[in-house]
Amino acid sequence: MFVFYGVVVWDSLPWDKIFGARVGVALSPFGITGTFGDDDVMETEGTISKRPGAEMNDLQGMQMQNKMNDRQGSLFWLLVLSVGLVGVAVALSVMRREEAEPFVLLLLAFFSVVGVLSLFASAVGFLRISEQGRFSPLLSVITESLGEGLVVTASDHRVIYSNDAYRVLSGADLHSVPPTVQRAFAANPEANDSTYRLFQAAINGSQWQEEFRVVIAGDEERVCWYRICVQPIMMSLPVLRKDKACTLWRVVDITSECSKQEDTFQELQRAIDYLDHAPAGFFSTGGNGRIDYMNATLAGWLGLDLTQTVSGELAISDIVVGDTEALLSRAIPVPGKICTEILDLDLRRCDGTFLPVRLLHGVSFAADGSHGYSRTLVINRSQGEDVSEDLRAAEVRFARFFNNAPISIATVDNEGRIVRANSNFAKTQAECNSRLGSHPLLSQLLDNESHETVQDALREAGLGKGDISPVDVTLVGKSNRSARLFVSPVHNTEANREIALVYAVDTTVQRALEMQFAQSQKMQAVGQLAGGVAHDFNNVLTAIIGYSDLLLSSHRATDPAFQDIMNIKQSANRAACLVRQLLAFSRRQTLQPEVLKLNDVISDLTAILARLLNEKVELEVFPDRSLWLVKADMTQFEQVIMNLVVNARDAMPDGGKLTINTSNVSMQDVEDLGYQAMPVSDYVRIEVTDTGQGMSPEVTEKVFEPFFSTKEVGKGTGLGLSMVYGIVKQTGGFIFPKSELGKGTTFLIFLPRHITSGVVEDIKVPDTRFVASDTTGNGVILLVEDEDAVRAFASRALSSRGYTVLEASTGVEALEVFNKHEGKVDLVVSDVVMPEMDGPTLLKKLRQKIPDIKIIFISGYAEDAFQKNLEDDACFTLLQKPFNLKDLASTVKRVLEGI
C-alpha cells in the first residue's frame, strides 16, 4: 500500500497537528494528486477554491494558487519521512513482541485508513492524478485579468486548468471541478451543433471558432451570445519531464456586442422602412446601369414586385421609355465628383402604361472619370399628385412630346451650345462622342465641312427669320452617320438663352438605300441594255455561224476560200463568248443548278487555279470543314472563281498571296455585317483575297460595270467581273468588294444556304450538247423566226437534211400555217421573242389543238426568262443562240426521235 499510494509528506513542521489544520501533499509517480492546505483554502486538481465561509479576495486567491502550483514536493521531507519510518521499524524490532504488537497494529491501521480514504477520494474525484504543469505568477495574473473564460483540457478531454471567468460563465461553484465546454452548454439545444463542431476540431487538433445564441431560463428568460474558440497547444509538465498536447478553449460572452449589432440593424431597418415608404420614389444603380435598389413606393407606382428590384435583375432600360436612358448618362464626367440634374420623362409600368415623373438624378464618377453609382429621387407627376393640375398636365404633355418624339430635338443658344435635348438627341450625341457632357456645342457633333452651313442657319434663326432651308450634315464618330437638320427660330427669349430649335432626322439608312438603289438602277439599266444588245448580236452571230457552216459544207479543205470561211466562223465564236458574258451580267443565261459542296468544288479547281497563277503568287485555301450546302451551277461557279483569281493575279504583277476562305454566316451574323441590301438569312461565304495594288473607292464603285477596266487597252474586255456579278445575282447570292490602295482587295460572295428535304434532288436539264452521228431525217417542221437571216439559214439547213420546212415570221402567221397544214406538222421550231405573238403564247395556242405537240424554242435568253409565261405542264426543248448547223440538225433529230 505504501508503494501504491506513495508517501505522505507533512507540509507543517508541528507533528502534533498532523490530523489538525493541515494535510500535506500526496505525491504519485504522475505528479501532484491532491493537497489539503490551510483552513481557508482548498486545492483541487491544482486550482484554488475557498472553503465555505472563508474570506479571500481574488488577488489572494491567485497568489495562493501560484504558491500551491509551485510546490511539487521536497526531497528533504521525503528523507525525514524515510528516516522516521526506519527509526520506527528499528524501535519496534528491539521491543518485545508483546510490546511492539500494539504499535505495529496502530501503524498498519493508520496506513489502512489513509489508503481507504485515498481510494474513496479518488473514486469521487476529490483526488486525481494531475498533469498540471507549472504556471508562473505572471501568466496566472494575465489569464485571470482577460475577462474571458479560459479552460485547458487534456487529450482525454479532462479539465486540467480553468480560470475564474470560465467558472462564472459555466456556472460552476467554487468547490467542484468545472465542466467541459460541451457539458456546460449541453442543456441548450441551440448550442449543440456549434459545440459538436468545436469538439470535432479539438479531436482533430485544429483551430475553430463558433458564435451561437442561447436562452437561459430563470425568473426572466434572457438571451446570451457566446463566442467560443478552440486551439491546440503544447503544455510543459515538469513532473513528466515532457510536453503534453492539450486544448485551449476560450469562451467569451458577446451578448453586449451582439445587442449593439442588433440595435444597429434595427435602426438600419427602420431607416430602410422610412425610405421604402417615403412619399417619393427612389432608386440607385451601379456603374453597369443595373438597378441595385428601388424603394417600395416606386416599385408600387410601377407595379413591380420588390423581389424583382434586388440583385441587379432590373436595368434602367427596363423602366424608362424609349431612348430616354441616354438622358441619364450624358453628364460630363468629372473625376471624383457627383453631378446632379433634373429631368422630366416617363417611366414604364408593368402593364405597359407610362408614368410621368420628375427625376432629381445624381451620378458619381470614379477617379478615372468612369461612371460610378447613381442615386435618383423620383417625383410622381401623374394626375392627383400635383397641386397645380393644369400646369402639371401641360408640363407632362410637353415632356412626353419632347422626350418621346421619334426625331432628335434640341434647343441652341446664341453661342451654338445645346441647352436642352430630348432622349433621341442625347442618344445621337452619345454615339458621336459619349464624353461631351450635357451642353456641348452643336458643331462638336458635326464634321468640319458642315460647320459653316449650320452656323449660317443658326445665325438666321437668331435674327428671327423663318423658312430656313434644311441642312444635310455628316456626324462625327466611327459609324459615318448622316442627318438632316431643320432649324427654326425661338421668339421672345432672354439674352444668352435659346435662340433656335434644331430638329435632326437621321438619314444614314436613307442615304445608304438611295446609293444602293441608284447603283442597282444603274446596273439594271446596263444589264437590260447588255441583254438587248446580246439578243440582237445572237441573231447576227447565228446567221454568220450558220452561213459559214453552209459554205464550209460546200467547200473542200483544199479550197482557197475554206480557211477564210473558218476564220469568219472562229471570229463569230469569239464574239459569241462575249455575248455569253453579257448575258451572264444581265442574268439572262441558262443555269443548271445542283446541290454543291463548295469545298469539294474549290478543291477540284485548285490544280487549274495553280496553272493560272504565276510562280510569284502563292495560293492558300482555308475551307470550313462544316460548310453548309448551296445550290448553284457548278460550271458557272467555277467560272466565277477563275475570273476572280485571274483578276487578282493581274493585280499582283510583282507577286503576292492569294487566299480563298469559305465559312458559314448565320442569321445573327448577317445583321452584324451591315450589308443592308442582303436579307437576313443563312449564307455560305466565299472570300477571295489578294495582296495586290488595291482599288480606290471610285474604282470600287464601278468595278462590276460592263466594259469598265483599269487594264491597258487590249489586255481586258471589262466583262470578267461583270459576268461574276451576274452569275452570283442569278444564283440568288450577293457579292461585295472591299479594297484599299496598297493593301489589296477582297471579294465577298454570299450564296444562300440550301437545306435538303431528305429527298435526293435530280435536276433534269435538256442536253443541248447532244450531237447525232447521222443528222438526216424526215418530217414536217414549222419554223417560226422573225429574223430573216436566221430563218433563211435554218430553213436551208433543215431542208438539206431531208426535212420539209414550213416558214413563218410571226406567231400569228405560224398559227395560220399550222391550221392550213393541221395534222401534218411533226415539230415546231420557234423563236421566243417575236412581234405580235411570242413563242410561249404560240405554244399555248397550239396545245389547244394538239396537247402533246413537240416544240423547240431558240433564244439567246435563259430558260427562266420566259418559262414563267408557260403553263406548268408545258414540255419543250431549248436551243441556245447562237447555234451552228450541226447543233440545229442534231437537236431536231433528237426531239423527233424522242431521244
Side-chain angles (χ1 to χ4, degrees):
M1 184 177 296
F2 169 75
V3 175
F4 182 78
Y5 292 105
V7 294
V8 176
V9 179
W10 302 113
D11 193 22
S12 301
L13 293 178
W15 293 92
D16 56 341
K17 294 184 178 180
I18 291 178
F19 300 102
R22 293 181 176 272
V23 176
V25 181
L27 298 179
S28 75
F30 302 99
I32 302 173
T33 60
T35 301
F36 299 89
D38 295 334
D39 294 336
D40 296 335
V41 182
M42 177 179 66
E43 178 187 358
T44 304
E45 290 191 13
T47 61
I48 298 296
S49 61
K50 295 182 290 183
R51 294 185 180 277
E55 297 295 333
M56 182 173 61
N57 59 35
D58 292 339
L59 181 59
Q60 290 173 336
M62 288 186 286
Q63 291 173 344
M64 183 62 69
Q65 173 79 43
N66 296 330
K67 176 181 176 183
M68 297 303 297
N69 287 339
D70 288 340
R71 290 204 309 254
Q72 297 195 8
S74 172
L75 180 61
F76 171 76
W77 292 112
L78 180 63
L79 292 175
V80 170
L81 180 61
S82 300
V83 171
L85 291 175
V86 170
V88 171
V90 171
L92 292 175
S93 65
V94 297
M95 294 176 66
R96 289 183 301 170
R97 181 180 182 86
E98 294 80 5
E99 296 176 352
E101 184 174 354
F103 294 100
V104 172
L105 293 175
L106 180 62
L107 187 62
L108 291 176
F110 172 76
F111 284 125
S112 298
V113 170
V114 171
V116 170
L117 291 176
S118 299
L119 285 175
F120 277 107
S122 177
V124 299
F126 190 74
L127 292 179
R128 297 174 61 183
I129 297 176
S130 174
E131 295 176 345
Q132 181 161 330
R134 183 181 298 274
F135 290 91
S136 68
L138 178 61
L139 180 60
S140 296
V141 171
I142 292 175
T143 57
E144 293 295 340
S145 63
L146 283 178
E148 59 183 44
L150 296 179
V151 58
V152 179
T153 59
S155 57
D156 58 354
H157 313 299
R158 291 184 296 103
V159 175
I160 61 175
Y161 174 78
S162 65
N163 66 354
D164 288 347
Y166 177 73
R167 288 177 172 276
V168 173
L169 290 174
S170 63
D173 59 37
L174 299 177
H175 307 288
S176 61
V177 178
T180 60
V181 174
Q182 300 95 297
R183 293 182 58 190
F185 293 97
N188 302 103
E190 308 97 323
N192 288 346
D193 291 340
S194 298
T195 55
Y196 175 77
R197 288 190 291 267
L198 290 165
F199 183 71
Q200 291 299 316
I203 293 175
N204 298 329
S206 58
Q207 294 185 2
W208 195 258
Q209 177 176 303
E210 291 280 347
E211 292 183 3
F212 54 86
R213 174 181 179 272
V214 297
V215 178
I216 300 178
D219 295 338
E220 293 184 3
E221 286 190 355
R222 59 190 181 93
V223 176
C224 294
W225 283 85
Y226 292 96
R227 180 187 298 122
I228 300 181
C229 306
V230 62
Q231 178 181 351
I233 60 173
M234 298 298 296
M235 179 173 286
S236 177
L237 299 177
V239 176
L240 298 180
R241 297 184 180 180
K242 66 176 182 179
D243 292 341
K244 186 69 173 178
C246 301
T247 304
L248 174 64
W249 298 72
R250 297 170 53 200
V251 184
V252 185
D253 188 342
I254 58 172
T255 304
S256 176
E257 178 184 340
C258 290
S259 297
K260 291 179 180 179
Q261 291 179 355
E262 287 188 356
D263 292 342
T264 303
F265 179 76
Q266 292 296 331
E267 291 177 2
L268 180 60
Q269 284 293 102
R270 285 193 294 271
I272 293 175
D273 185 67
Y274 296 153
L275 181 60
D276 266 344
H277 298 91
F282 179 84
F283 69 89
S284 64
T285 64
N288 57 0
R290 306 200 72 82
I291 297 175
D292 296 330
Y293 172 77
M294 178 184 294
N295 71 345
T297 301
L298 181 56
W301 289 347
L302 300 180
L304 296 172
D305 191 334
L306 277 178
T307 57
Q308 299 177 256
T309 64
V310 298
S311 303
E313 294 183 9
L314 282 178
I316 286 290
S317 56
D318 296 328
I319 64 171
V320 299
V321 176
D323 297 322
T324 51
E325 180 184 1
L327 293 172
L328 301 175
S329 58
R330 65 172 186 160
I332 300 177
V334 181
K337 299 294 183 180
I338 297 178
C339 299
T340 305
E341 58 183 336
I342 299 175
L343 302 170
D344 289 320
L345 47 81
D346 283 344
L347 298 182
R348 181 187 294 107
R349 295 189 178 99
C350 280
D351 57 5
T353 58
F354 294 165
L355 174 70
V357 296
R358 172 166 290 175
L359 304 183
L360 183 61
H361 180 62
V363 184
S364 66
F365 296 95
D368 59 355
S370 60
H371 277 265
Y373 63 86
S374 72
R375 302 292 182 264
T376 306
L377 185 67
V378 184
I379 300 175
N380 190 340
R381 309 199 68 200
S382 59
Q383 187 173 6
E385 298 290 340
D386 203 319
V387 177
S388 52
E389 183 63 28
D390 293 339
L391 178 60
R392 180 207 62 79
E395 290 180 346
V396 168
R397 284 195 298 270
F398 172 76
R400 284 183 171 173
F401 164 77
F402 188 66
N403 287 319
N404 299 333
I407 61 175
S408 301
I409 307 175
T411 60
V412 181
D413 62 14
N414 55 4
E415 295 180 357
R417 189 176 298 278
I418 297 172
V419 179
R420 288 185 293 176
N422 71 343
S423 57
N424 241 314
F425 201 99
K427 180 181 178 182
T428 302
Q429 174 185 323
E431 292 172 351
C432 294
N433 189 336
S434 59
R435 304 182 70 85
L436 290 178
S438 304
H439 307 290
L441 292 172
L442 180 60
S443 58
Q444 291 180 278
L445 308 181
L446 314 176
D447 67 346
N448 294 331
E449 297 180 358
S450 306
H451 287 181
E452 185 176 353
T453 310
V454 173
Q455 288 298 331
D456 291 342
L458 293 178
R459 194 176 300 111
E460 292 183 12
L463 297 175
K465 296 182 179 180
D467 298 329
I468 301 174
S469 300
V471 182
D472 290 320
V473 299
T474 301
L475 304 177
V476 297
K478 299 180 180 179
S479 55
N480 194 26
R481 301 181 63 191
S482 60
R484 175 167 292 178
L485 303 184
F486 298 86
V487 182
S488 61
V490 176
H491 301 284
N492 300 323
T493 60
E494 299 177 0
N496 299 323
R497 297 300 296 169
E498 295 100 326
I499 62 169
L501 274 171
V502 178
Y503 305 88
V505 179
D506 193 328
T507 59
T508 306
V509 176
Q510 178 184 345
R511 281 193 178 183
L513 291 176
E514 286 176 353
M515 293 176 63
Q516 292 174 5
F517 180 74
Q519 178 70 9
S520 175
Q521 288 289 93
K522 181 176 68 174
M523 298 298 284
Q524 183 178 357
V526 174
Q528 289 177 347
L529 175 62
V533 171
H535 177 264
D536 293 337
F537 266 106
N538 274 331
N539 286 330
V540 175
L541 292 173
T542 301
I544 294 174
I545 294 172
Y547 282 113
S548 297
D549 285 339
L550 291 176
L551 288 173
L552 289 173
S553 64
S554 60
H555 288 73
R556 297 177 182 275
T558 56
D559 290 346
F562 187 86
Q563 190 60 41
D564 295 335
I565 299 172
M566 285 296 297
N567 288 336
I568 294 172
K569 183 177 180 180
Q570 289 173 1
S571 297
N573 286 332
R574 284 197 298 271
C577 290
L578 293 176
V579 170
R580 280 195 292 271
Q581 290 178 336
L582 283 174
L583 287 173
F585 168 72
S586 62
R587 289 169 268 170
R588 297 186 181 182
Q589 64 175 346
T590 300
L591 297 181
Q592 300 178 8
E594 55 184 308
V595 179
L596 299 178
K597 295 181 179 179
L598 292 186
N599 286 339
D600 295 343
V601 176
I602 294 174
S603 177
D604 295 341
L605 198 61
T606 303
I608 299 175
L609 298 179
R611 288 196 295 269
L612 290 175
L613 301 172
N614 56 47
E615 63 278 1
K616 296 182 181 180
V617 178
E618 178 185 357
L619 174 64
E620 290 187 351
V621 179
F622 298 99
D624 185 343
R625 299 301 178 188
S626 59
L627 199 67
W628 295 326
L629 299 176
V630 299
K631 194 170 186 178
D633 187 314
M634 186 175 69
T635 303
Q636 297 297 334
F637 178 76
E638 290 175 346
Q639 189 66 46
V640 166
I641 298 298
M642 286 191 291
N643 280 9
L644 292 176
V645 168
V646 170
N647 201 66
R649 177 201 65 189
D650 295 341
M652 298 183 289
D654 299 327
K657 180 184 289 187
L658 177 64
T659 306
I660 301 177
N661 293 325
T662 60
S663 60
N664 297 324
V665 180
S666 64
M667 293 183 182
Q668 295 78 9
D669 296 333
V670 170
E671 296 180 352
D672 298 335
L673 292 175
Y675 294 122
Q676 298 175 356
M678 189 165 65
V680 176
S681 183
D682 291 334
Y683 294 92
V684 173
R685 175 170 53 195
I686 305 99
E687 298 182 43
V688 181
T689 304
D690 65 65
T691 58
Q693 301 169 351
M695 299 181 293
S696 65
E698 295 77 13
V699 173
T700 304
E701 289 180 1
K702 301 179 181 180
V703 72
F704 295 126
E705 294 182 7
F707 306 110
F708 176 80
S709 177
T710 57
K711 299 176 183 178
E712 298 178 7
V713 178
K715 291 190 176 180
T717 61
L719 290 173
L721 291 178
S722 300
M723 183 177 68
V724 168
Y725 178 85
I727 294 173
V728 172
K729 283 293 186 180
Q730 193 172 0
T731 308
F734 301 87
I735 181 169
F736 303 100
K738 292 195 306 183
S739 186
E740 188 174 350
L741 282 174
K743 293 188 177 180
T745 302
T746 298
F747 284 94
L748 300 170
I749 300 174
F750 297 89
L751 298 181
R753 177 188 182 185
H754 178 73
I755 301 177
T756 57
S757 59
V759 180
V760 178
E761 300 183 29
D762 184 15
I763 303 174
K764 297 183 178 180
V765 179
D767 187 4
T768 58
R769 296 171 295 178
F770 169 82
V771 178
S773 57
D774 180 14
T775 58
T776 60
N778 56 73
V780 178
I781 298 176
L782 175 59
L783 177 61
V784 188
E785 172 61 61
D786 62 328
E787 189 69 29
D788 294 338
V790 176
R791 187 175 67 253
F793 150 68
S795 178
R796 286 182 56 185
L798 294 175
S799 298
S800 66
R801 294 301 185 267
Y803 298 104
T804 301
V805 180
L806 305 175
E807 298 183 26
S809 59
T810 65
V812 176
E813 185 181 347
L815 283 176
E816 295 176 355
V817 174
F818 185 84
N819 292 331
K820 185 176 180 180
H821 300 83
E822 187 173 356
K824 299 180 180 179
V825 177
D826 300 310
L827 176 66
V828 177
V829 179
S830 172
D831 192 7
V832 175
V833 180
M834 296 180 295
E836 297 183 8
M837 183 184 294
D838 60 7
T841 305
L842 175 62
L843 177 59
K844 292 179 184 179
K845 299 290 185 181
L846 294 177
R847 289 190 66 192
Q848 294 176 0
K849 299 179 180 297
I850 303 177
D852 57 349
I853 185 72
K854 296 178 179 179
I855 187 169
I856 298 174
F857 283 126
I858 53 177
S859 175
Y861 293 127
E863 178 180 332
D864 55 2
F866 61 86
Q867 191 173 16
K868 60 184 179 181
N869 298 324
L870 295 171
E871 298 174 345
D872 294 336
D873 58 345
C875 183
F876 65 93
T877 301
L878 177 65
L879 178 61
Q880 284 280 340
K881 292 180 181 179
F883 53 84
N884 56 31
L885 188 151
K886 187 175 292 186
D887 290 338
L888 176 61
S890 60
T891 303
V892 169
K893 184 169 184 177
R894 176 170 58 85
V895 174
L896 284 174
E897 294 182 358
I899 300 176

